[in-house]
Amino acid sequence: WSLSMVGVRDHSWGRRVWSSIYRDRSIWTCFGPDLSFIACKTWLDPDASPDEMGCVIESGRVTRLCSIKIHSRFRQNSHYHEAVRLELEDAEGRSFTLDGKVLAYVPLRHRTPGREVVFLGQAMTRFTLAGRTTIGLSEYFDAALACERLIELSLAGEHVVE
């Protein structure tokens, strides 16, 4: 086998306290050496606005994302996502729309005694952007209480806009 490829990867290290986060969405895509995206939204509290962070990397040049809007569709009667649309705006005022379809999903669960159960879903996702296609990661992370609302919306056939 001979492989030649590029990728985007989380290099954050340290102890994880999964039960300290209410919800999180992290998207990692690499369309080639000339174009990659990292987009994350994190809610520490159900009533607080999310923290947004991310960037577009173009041929080694990094530009901060200023706006991240995520449209998610969840499998019926589930909190497992099956499709995602990203609407991104960078610090230069450029807009990007990425559409993703989940190809494979790994459900994980984290339990800490005395704390709320946290559900993590890591999904291999096919993303498209302006005629280009790649495989990336869409990772969804929800405290158990957040999952109830996602399941209600999935039963109604509604997309969730975050």
Side-chain angles (χ1 to χ4, degrees):
W1 292 66
S2 176
L3 299 174
S4 176
M5 61 184 69
V6 294
V8 179
R9 168 170 179 211
D10 179 358
H11 283 283
S12 62
W13 300 98
R15 182 172 180 264
R16 302 288 198 246
V17 184
W18 298 113
S19 56
S20 67
I21 297 173
Y22 180 67
R23 297 176 56 224
D24 180 81
R25 305 288 181 256
S26 296
I27 312 293
W28 308 84
T29 65
C30 182
F31 287 91
D34 63 320
L35 184 62
S36 298
F37 293 90
I38 301 168
C40 305
K41 288 184 95 157
T42 303
W43 293 259
L44 297 177
D45 179 288
D47 299 320
S49 296
D51 292 324
E52 295 185 353
M53 61 198 105
C55 60
V56 55
I57 306 165
E58 297 167 288
S59 301
R61 185 173 154 259
V62 179
T63 306
R64 179 178 56 86
L65 292 176
C66 295
S67 175
I68 301 169
K69 186 182 285 188
I70 302 172
H71 301 255
S72 302
R73 187 176 69 234
F74 293 86
R75 280 196 257 170
Q76 192 160 14
N77 202 26
S78 169
H79 61 273
Y80 296 176
H81 67 289
E82 61 183 10
V84 59
R85 168 175 271 197
L86 292 172
E87 294 176 357
L88 309 172
E89 186 176 320
D90 73 5
E92 296 176 359
R94 297 177 300 165
S95 296
F96 305 91
T97 300
L98 289 75
D99 287 304
K101 178 179 180 353
V102 170
L103 303 174
Y105 189 92
V106 178
L108 305 166
R109 178 178 51 202
H110 187 271
R111 290 173 273 198
T112 301
R115 305 290 296 263
E116 186 173 10
V117 173
V118 175
F119 295 94
L120 297 92
Q122 296 188 330
M124 179 186 300
T125 306
R126 179 184 298 120
F127 287 97
T128 59
L129 168 71
R132 296 177 74 173
T133 301
T134 192
I135 303 295
L137 177 70
S138 57
E139 181 179 70
Y140 282 39
F141 178 114
D142 294 286
L145 287 176
C147 293
E148 295 172 16
R149 178 72 177 136
L150 298 177
I151 291 169
E152 288 173 16
L153 291 168
S154 78
L155 288 169
E158 295 183 32
H159 284 80
V160 177
V161 180
E162 304 171 301

